Amino acid sequence: MFLAVAFVLGFVLLGVGSGTTGLTDAFQSAFSLGSGGGTSISSLEKKTVQHPQDANAWRDLATAYEQKQRTNDAVTALERYTALRPKDDSGLAELASQYTTQARGFATDYQAAQTEGATISPQTTFAPAASTIFGKIYADPKALRDPISQLLETQAQTKAQTAYSKYTAAQQSAEATFKKLAGLTPTDVTVQYQ
């Protein structure tokens, strides 16, 4: 009985074997004592609205967005920050990095839309050769076409085109930002490579 009580007390009060420090961690997590995890995004957004020329507020907001993996919002905040501080090479590097992350996301969207389009109309994979009579009939957009699958194909193509346009825009923005950064730091080999 004594060992059971000692085990419970050691585990609960001292955190033995649990990877915590016992009751202190339990109280901190239950009542959010200690560090609160930083400033909330909503308060940072209010700060930028109240003080739109405060570059540090925009940088803090961008950092908060990055921590929440809100890349598009982080890009917007960093664009504003770098407009206020155009010679800040770390801000430009961060913006270029966010553009690159954004481009990767759009590339993934593009690939998903292409895959979706291919799965919507698998009959194109098994279509007869275009040189045959059936192939010519099949290739005719007015013959043997299901209007529902045509609509779905059109939607998938639109998604793919939109994602590709966003991808190229993000890539061009990243390139332009890296060029600005290279102008500020002409001897930085990493920037030149990027």
Side-chain angles (χ1 to χ4, degrees), residues 73-137:
D73 293 327
V75 164
T76 303
L78 283 168
E79 286 173 340
R80 185 72 177 128
Y81 173 77
T82 56
L84 294 168
R85 299 264 171 90
K87 303 249 185 238
D88 182 2
D89 58 341
S90 66
L92 285 172
E94 192 173 337
L95 178 58
S97 173
Q98 289 300 308
Y99 277 135
T100 303
T101 301
Q102 193 178 45
R104 272 190 247 118
F106 292 138
T108 301
D109 293 346
Y110 174 69
Q111 290 171 342
Q114 281 189 317
T115 302
E116 181 183 336
T119 56
I120 288 171
S121 60
Q123 68 270 20
T124 57
T125 307
F126 304 107
S131 59
T132 66
I133 294 172
F134 289 118
K136 290 176 185 175
I137 293 171

Side-chain angles (χ1 to χ4, degrees), residues 47 93 106 152 176 180:
K47 188 175 180 181
F106 292 138
L152 294 174
K180 286 180 191 175

